[in-house]
Amino acid sequence: MSLRAFIEQARQAGYLVEIHREVSPRLELARVAAVLDGRPVLFHRVTGSKFPVIVGAGSAREYYALGLGVEVGHLAAKLMEALEHPKPPEVTESGACQQVVERNVDLDRLPILTHLPTDPAPYITAGVAIIRDPDYGRNVSFHRLMVTGPRTVVARIVEGRGTDTAWRKAHDGLPIAICVGNSLPVLLAASMSPPKGVDELGIANAMQPTSLVQCKTVNLQVPAESEFVLEGHITHQLANEGPFLDLTETMDFVRRQPVIEIDCITHRRDAIYQALLPGKLEHKLLMGMPKEPTIFAAVSQVCECRDVVITPGGTSWLHAVVSIVKRDPEDGRRAIEAAFAGHGSLKHVVVVDDDIHIHDPVQVEWAIATRFQASRDLAVLTDQPGSSLDPSATHVPGQKTRTAKMGLDATIPWGANRKEYEKMRYEKIEAREYLNTGQSLDQ
Ligand SMILES: Cc1cc2nc3c(=O)[nH]c(=O)nc-3n(C[C@H](O)[C@H](O)[C@H](O)COP(=O)(O)O)c2cc1C
């Protein structure tokens, strides 16, 4: 289902917020979207551009469930199924994303947002980049793009990932197609890190049919239903990128990053520009949610895993809670190790029994308070490869970030009397029956 079909679905379901008042893409739009975080917001009139802007299409699990036609509780299984069984997408002769072809490129025509007063330039934040690696084939991932001219952007390309390794092999520059205005399956697939050689668009197609169309100026294929496609190449020229707000809600620092030249823009006749607020819920969910099934799969190899959540307080990237059914004294420790293997950027993990509701931070903290002893149940790993996003980690330019990791086994100790560890509950009664007539519990 295309992004615009999802917007219509969100409108029907009552989720969509529509803003008809004219809004400036410079600071104002991001501020309005920020206070409405968690809702899809469609800005119909944006100063200086004829294109409307959607923000927050993927800012709650309910929207992915709606778009993919599953229950919220079945999302992880749906993602896992698609990750394990990608389907090669069909290639069509023509695509809606090419209704208009602009070879006279001018990025100023797009309603690209400036988010914070400290931003060095406007940033494209919801662009899904498609490149081809000579050894591994197509790679699809997000790259934030700082606009530096009418046809140039500087991309943040994390070292060692798919785009970076392909770019280093392409001495004459790497052809790239950046899709803006994507379906939820394409957004989710671009956020995943499948094994090298696995096509993310095959994963998107396994979630929902996602047909492709050949680009006009580069030998790449893009989802035909995209709203905009920016075709060009990643050069070997470097320029300053940042500072820019990141997932952690802290400022990422300035780095020398590759310049991309845009040679052609194709778009739908009435295209909708998509933006994503850095550090807000959509960014967090897209980063964290696809890691839950990979942690689940890794933990399931060593013990019985019931559920996994990447928590928003942990920036939806650095912290996870895993619930298991403990059948062996070593299961808690094994689950900690497996969780780190299932998500390389994970920094802290808490393992609990399956009586703990892992989406409730109070319950997780209760398990730590009543079942965990640091001298017995804490695993600390020093000098590990870590996340480039963590300001507290050790960052050396050109090298993988290093960090310490910590796992808390907050499961009931093996051999203990389980009754002593179970939460006692009062039987539920109707309190109103005990009140005086006319007395109310409402504040
Ligand atoms: C919303 C969002 C924004 C992202 N921004 C960037 C970015 O600016 N640069 C980058 O290299 N990765 C970024 N990522 C991460 C990559 O898209 C993601 O890790 C991807 O899975 C990498 O895949 P690969 O290892 O196959 O290349 C972002 C992810 C999301 C969900």
Side-chain angles (χ1 to χ4, degrees):
M1 181 196 304
S2 63
L3 174 65
R4 57 185 50 217
F6 170 74
I7 293 173
E8 187 47 40
Q9 214 184 7
R11 182 182 278 130
Q12 300 294 330
Y15 292 132
L16 188 70
V17 178
E18 303 198 54
I19 309 274
H20 290 275
R21 181 174 143 177
E22 185 174 320
V23 176
S24 167
R26 202 184 135 64
L27 305 176
E28 188 184 16
L29 196 150
R31 286 174 183 164
V32 177
V35 293
L36 295 168
D37 194 27
R39 297 287 293 270
V41 188
L42 183 60
F43 294 88
H44 288 272
R45 289 170 59 224
V46 182
T47 312
S49 178
K50 63 179 182 183
F51 302 109
V53 175
I54 180 81
V55 185
S59 58
R61 285 178 199 257
E62 287 72 17
Y63 309 152
Y64 296 96
L66 178 72
L68 297 178
V70 294
E71 298 289 319
V72 172
H74 294 149
L75 269 174
K78 177 92 181 170
L79 298 193
M80 199 65 215
E81 171 67 21
L83 187 62
E84 285 179 350
H85 305 288
K87 287 189 193 151
E90 179 197 354
V91 181
T92 56
E93 282 296 307
S94 62
C97 65
Q98 296 177 337
Q99 285 167 345
V100 179
V101 179
E102 290 186 19
R103 288 176 198 267
N104 181 14
V105 172
D106 185 1
L107 291 169
D108 276 351
R109 290 195 206 117
L110 304 190
I112 303 172
L113 309 190
T114 303
H115 300 79
L116 294 174
T118 48
D119 286 359
Y123 262 80
I124 299 172
T125 49
V128 165
I130 300 178
I131 55 98
R132 179 167 295 285
D133 183 295
D135 302 312
Y136 301 112
R138 181 159 48 216
N139 190 79
V140 183
S141 55
F142 277 91
H143 295 287
R144 68 179 183 226
L145 306 168
M146 179 177 133
V147 179
T148 50
R151 46 191 309 148
T152 52
V153 295
V154 187
R156 168 65 183 131
I157 300 179
V158 174
E159 296 69 21
R161 295 260 182 83
T163 310
D164 179 63
T165 48
W167 170 67
R168 285 174 197 280
K169 292 180 209 168
H171 300 294
D172 297 329
L174 184 69
I176 186 167
I178 299 149
C179 304
V180 181
N182 294 289
S183 69
L184 296 182
V186 169
L187 294 172
L188 282 168
S191 312
M192 292 182 177
S193 303
K196 279 199 184 313
V198 175
D199 177 17
E200 284 97 342
L201 292 181
I203 298 174
N205 189 48
M207 282 185 235
Q208 254 173 13
T210 303
S211 56
L212 309 183
V213 66
Q214 180 69 27
C215 284
K216 294 289 178 189
T217 61
V218 283
N219 186 17
L220 292 166
Q221 293 159 347
V222 290
E225 297 275 14
S226 310
E227 297 289 325
F228 292 89
V229 181
L230 282 50
E231 301 181 4
H233 53 280
I234 317 180
T235 69
H236 283 276
Q237 187 196 336
L238 301 182
N240 281 355
E241 188 276 327
F244 195 61
L245 182 62
D246 215 326
L247 183 69
T248 45
E249 296 164 73
T250 55
M251 293 305 279
D252 200 0
F253 48 84
V254 179
R255 295 181 184 85
R256 300 291 289 169
Q257 292 286 284
V259 172
I260 299 180
E261 288 175 0
I262 311 291
D263 304 314
C264 174
I265 297 182
T266 72
H267 62 84
R268 287 174 179 262
R269 220 164 278 120
D270 56 348
I272 304 170
Y273 178 84
Q274 185 172 27
L276 185 153
L277 289 192
K280 289 295 185 184
L281 287 168
E282 188 171 21
H283 192 186
K284 288 199 153 69
L285 273 174
L286 279 170
M287 286 288 287
M289 210 166 49
K291 291 296 172 195
E292 290 169 356
T294 64
I295 296 175
F296 189 96
V299 176
S300 297
Q301 288 189 355
V302 296
C303 62
E304 187 176 339
C305 184
R306 276 291 161 88
D307 204 358
V308 175
V309 65
I310 302 259
T311 58
T315 78
S316 288
W317 192 240
L318 300 174
H319 289 181
V321 185
V322 175
S323 83
I324 63 168
V325 181
K326 197 166 167 179
R327 300 200 193 282
D328 183 275
E330 292 300 307
D331 276 355
R333 189 187 49 77
R334 287 190 192 114
I336 289 171
E337 285 170 11
F340 287 136
H343 172 27
S345 296
L346 192 64
K347 184 176 160 190
H348 300 144
V349 61
V350 183
V351 179
V352 296
D353 297 288
D354 67 335
D355 61 333
I356 303 296
H357 180 44
I358 61 173
H359 288 264
D360 179 354
V362 175
Q363 285 205 32
V364 174
E365 192 180 347
W366 178 83
I368 296 171
T370 60
R371 298 177 179 182
F372 168 82
Q373 281 291 309
S375 55
R376 181 190 61 199
D377 303 318
L378 179 67
V380 176
L381 293 84
T382 51
D383 197 24
Q384 300 291 306
S387 170
S388 63
L389 299 174
D390 176 7
S392 74
T394 305
H395 305 279
V396 177
Q399 290 179 21
K400 181 76 183 149
T401 300
R402 308 298 294 182
T403 186
K405 300 196 174 201
M406 174 174 78
L408 286 75
D409 177 3
T411 56
I412 297 173
W414 188 256
N417 179 357
R418 288 188 73 88
K419 284 264 166 280
E420 290 174 9
Y421 286 87
E422 274 163 13
K423 196 172 212 171
M424 299 307 291
R425 294 173 209 278
Y426 291 94
E427 200 171 313
K428 280 232 163 89
I429 48 111
E430 185 49 75
R432 281 172 211 282
E433 290 174 12
Y434 294 81
L435 301 180
N436 292 334
T437 321
Q439 207 180 350
S440 164
L441 289 174
D442 302 332
Q443 299 276 324

